[in-house]
Amino acid sequence: MLKPFLASRSGNIAIMSGVLLIPLCLAVGVAVDYSRYTSAQRHLQEMADATSLSLASTQERSNAKLTQMANDFLSSNQNTNRVQQLRLDGLDTSTEMIDVTVGGSIPATFMALAGYDRLPVKASALAERAVRGNVEVSLVLDNTWSMSEADGSGQTRMEALKDAAARLVDELLITTDNSVRIALVPYADYVNVGADNRNASWLSVPNDYSNTSTSKETCVTETTVCLARNPKRTCERYRDGVLETYGCGNECTKTEVRQLDQPQCSGGKTSTTAYKWFGCVGSRTGGNNRLGDHNTSVKYPGYVETSQNCHNPIVRLTSDKKRLKDAIVAMSPNRGSYKPYTYIPAGLVWGLNTISPTEPFADGLAYDANNVRPRKVIVLMTDGENTLLYNKNNGKHASGSVPSLNAAEKQTAVAALSTDCTDAHNNCGNGKGKLKDTSSYQQTNADTLSLCTYASANQIEIFTVAFKVDDATARQMLQLCATDEAHYYEASDSAKLAAAFSGIAQSLRVVRLAR
């Protein structure tokens, strides 16, 4: 009986199914839990990617505030059906990147039978802020006397500009591949192209010289004595928009002529006055040569003078961060008694020249019709309106009356001016809009807009920054000069100026996931 029983195969399937049922159930349970785990992992990675990109796209740099922003973003966007106990495990930030690590867990279902109640989930993402491709940026920065004004804290406009410009350089030059090059053009009434360019083919500078003269000796036997004067008082005047006080009054109201005991003689002395070139240049003369980088055979005029009447030299396109920042630190609204006025076209034309592929410098790559390879950018900053006029006879920039343009020149100069456009960004005229202006500096404002139009025609982006500009005409001119509304910034204090320059840097960088 035993042998037939052992040889029987009936009922084996039921027995084996009973034995295998438990591991089969565990396998199915593990598969279900793994599917839920991979879903949670995908969701967590999506959260990490989105958080890092969101933080990298902001202008915030405080680690504490970025941490709060990350936590708020995670709590607002998590799906509790896919992952629970979502938290920020790590946040590493710098000027050029945001590295985010997030964690969470899901409750185990079948794997709890094996002692795993919850399954941990982790993900990380690295977002980079970087300038892509070849970029050429010209910083055209106001160095006029009005930049010496201080705010309530004692910080001058120039100090605020230095801080903002230095940060911009830091934010753009974060790589060492020379893909980003920056030029610096400190401008006022004139621009300094560097005395080492004296013999350049695009420049015309007279030779240095000296005048030696001997005054004629004269003798007098009587003198006029003042017996009564008006009271001394304090008077006010504006210099480049800056209110200055000075001593006035004290005029002589009563005089008396008196005989001298013996003759008094003066003169008879020899003096020498030296005239030299310090690097200062004016505008090119003839037609519209002052309004672009065309007609390279027409030279820029350099002026020999007794003292330097322009600021520090231009810094040509470079990726040398230290050189640029040293030049920014050296900027000043004056040089001794030299307190310059504002002539924006001088800065703009040299901003154009620094990134132009043609002379004077020919440092820029060839213009790209799409402004992509390379991307060319001018950043124009000023704190006030134009306060000088162009002299067509010698290219100088002077206050007051200068020789008028002929009919053809005047028609070209005022082509950007009209009274039929009220919207700063409408489509009248050449597409840049036209400027209402009844001031005495119509020609200079028109030249400013003509240079902006010329740059735009070559697909150069123009950012403009109006720093504490009260004049409505000047603000409108800067709005029209900018590529579009997004390229125009108004800054009423140093914090807003810093934000404007940071915003420009942000516009030139691409935020992307690097991991």
Side-chain angles (χ1 to χ4, degrees):
M1 293 175 62
L2 182 60
K3 287 181 178 180
F5 175 78
L6 293 175
S8 175
R9 298 288 187 239
S10 62
N12 280 4
I13 293 177
I15 295 171
M16 292 181 66
S17 297
V19 173
L20 296 175
L21 182 60
I22 293 177
L24 285 173
C25 289
L26 287 175
V28 172
V30 169
V32 171
D33 283 342
Y34 180 74
S35 176
R36 294 176 57 243
Y37 173 83
T38 56
S39 175
Q41 181 69 48
R42 287 195 301 271
H43 178 57
L44 205 63
Q45 188 62 58
E46 293 167 357
M47 293 292 290
D49 292 346
T51 302
S52 62
L53 287 172
S54 176
L55 297 183
S57 298
T58 70
Q59 298 182 23
E60 184 58 62
R61 296 295 180 266
S62 166
N63 195 68
K65 291 183 179 179
L66 287 170
T67 299
Q68 183 60 51
M69 291 169 64
N71 284 321
D72 292 343
F73 187 89
L74 290 172
S75 63
S76 300
N77 292 279
Q78 69 169 320
N79 184 342
T80 55
N81 292 326
R82 297 179 67 182
V83 66
Q84 298 174 5
Q85 298 178 340
L86 184 63
R87 64 190 180 277
L88 179 68
D89 282 346
L91 179 62
D92 185 15
T93 69
S94 70
T95 301
E96 60 270 14
M97 65 86 182
I98 297 285
D99 196 349
V100 172
T101 302
V102 295
S105 66
I106 61 171
T109 304
F110 293 95
M111 291 184 67
L113 299 174
Y116 297 96
D117 294 328
R118 300 194 73 84
L119 302 177
V121 189
K122 276 189 175 292
S124 65
L126 175 66
E128 286 185 338
R129 308 182 184 103
V131 178
R132 291 327 216 180
N134 291 315
V135 179
E136 299 170 356
V137 181
S138 184
L139 303 180
V140 181
L141 306 181
D142 191 332
N143 278 216
T144 57
W145 177 238
S146 55
M147 292 292 290
S148 64
E149 279 200 301
D151 59 20
S153 67
Q155 184 186 45
T156 66
R157 296 181 181 184
M158 178 58 72
E159 290 168 342
L161 174 61
K162 289 180 181 182
D163 291 343
R167 291 180 187 177
L168 176 65
V169 170
D170 280 334
E171 292 190 41
L172 293 181
L173 295 180
I174 59 178
T175 63
T176 57
D177 59 2
N178 295 326
S179 61
V180 180
R181 294 185 297 161
I182 302 175
L184 177 67
V185 182
Y187 76 92
D189 43 9
Y190 294 101
V191 166
N192 189 335
V193 298
D196 55 335
N197 284 310
R198 177 164 200 152
N199 296 319
S201 61
W202 44 267
L203 192 60
S204 176
V205 185
N207 293 325
D208 295 347
Y209 67 95
S210 297
N211 277 342
T212 300
S213 61
T214 301
S215 61
K216 182 179 179 180
E217 184 179 43
T218 58
C219 299
V220 296
T221 58
E222 61 184 24
T223 185
T224 301
V225 178
C226 182
L227 301 178
R229 294 180 178 275
N230 286 328
K232 293 182 180 180
R233 64 185 190 277
T234 299
C235 294
E236 295 180 341
R237 64 188 174 197
Y238 282 91
R239 185 180 184 92
D240 194 49
V242 179
L243 181 63
E244 296 180 332
T245 59
Y246 64 98
C248 58
N250 201 37
E251 300 91 349
C252 188
T253 58
K254 183 178 180 181
T255 61
E256 179 180 273
V257 177
R258 295 178 181 177
Q259 295 296 316
L260 298 173
D261 294 335
Q262 57 184 9
Q264 290 185 355
C265 299
S266 61
K269 295 182 179 180
T270 300
S271 62
T272 300
T273 302
Y275 294 83
K276 61 179 295 186
W277 187 57
F278 296 91
C280 310
V281 297
S283 298
R284 295 193 296 170
T285 58
N288 297 324
N289 294 320
R290 68 189 184 280
L291 304 178
D293 62 350
H294 54 290
N295 294 344
T296 56
S297 61
V298 179
K299 299 183 178 183
Y300 283 87
Y303 309 115
V304 291
E305 299 171 296
T306 58
S307 61
Q308 182 171 335
N309 290 326
C310 60
H311 282 303
N312 295 329
I314 289 171
V315 177
R316 293 167 64 169
L317 279 177
T318 180
S319 295
D320 188 335
K321 184 187 296 187
K322 182 179 185 303
R323 183 184 174 196
L324 286 163
K325 294 181 72 172
D326 286 348
I328 289 171
V329 169
M331 293 192 308
S332 172
N334 69 299
R335 179 180 292 274
S337 59
Y338 168 61
K339 299 177 180 180
Y341 288 82
T342 303
Y343 191 77
I344 297 174
L348 266 178
V349 75
W350 284 98
L352 175 68
N353 285 339
T354 56
I355 59 177
S356 169
T358 62
E359 287 189 341
F361 297 142
D363 293 332
L365 298 175
Y367 290 121
D368 177 14
N370 297 315
N371 196 35
V372 175
R373 298 181 182 278
R375 185 178 182 184
K376 293 179 182 281
V377 178
I378 291 176
V379 179
L380 170 64
M381 172 270 157
T382 184
D383 73 334
E385 64 270 26
N386 283 303
T387 54
L388 292 174
L389 300 170
Y390 163 74
N391 187 320
K392 72 168 187 175
N393 290 337
N394 54 22
K396 287 191 174 183
H397 314 139
S399 58
S401 175
V402 297
S404 61
L405 302 177
N406 61 40
E409 291 170 330
K410 187 172 183 60
Q411 182 178 2
T412 301
V414 300
L417 298 174
S418 107
T419 57
D420 60 353
C421 295
T422 57
D423 183 351
H425 290 280
N426 56 20
N427 294 316
C428 55
N430 53 20
K432 295 291 291 178
K434 295 185 179 181
L435 178 66
K436 281 187 175 183
D437 188 358
T438 57
S439 73
S440 59
Y441 297 101
Q442 281 190 355
Q443 177 196 314
T444 309
N445 292 336
D447 284 358
T448 301
L449 287 182
S450 292
L451 281 162
C452 294
T453 300
Y454 182 86
S456 296
N458 286 289
Q459 304 306 316
I460 297 174
E461 282 182 77
I462 305 177
F463 291 89
T464 58
V465 181
F467 183 33
K468 295 187 176 182
V469 176
D470 297 326
D471 183 76
T473 295
R475 286 199 306 270
Q476 189 186 17
M477 180 182 68
L478 293 172
Q479 288 174 334
L480 295 173
C481 184
T483 297
D484 54 36
E485 292 183 3
H487 285 67
Y488 171 70
Y489 292 83
E490 285 189 12
S492 57
D493 55 40
S494 57
K496 289 183 174 62
L497 181 67
F501 274 72
S502 182
I504 293 170
Q506 191 81 6
S507 298
L508 297 178
R509 293 181 304 186
V510 176
V511 176
R512 69 179 185 93
L513 283 174
R515 187 188 70 246

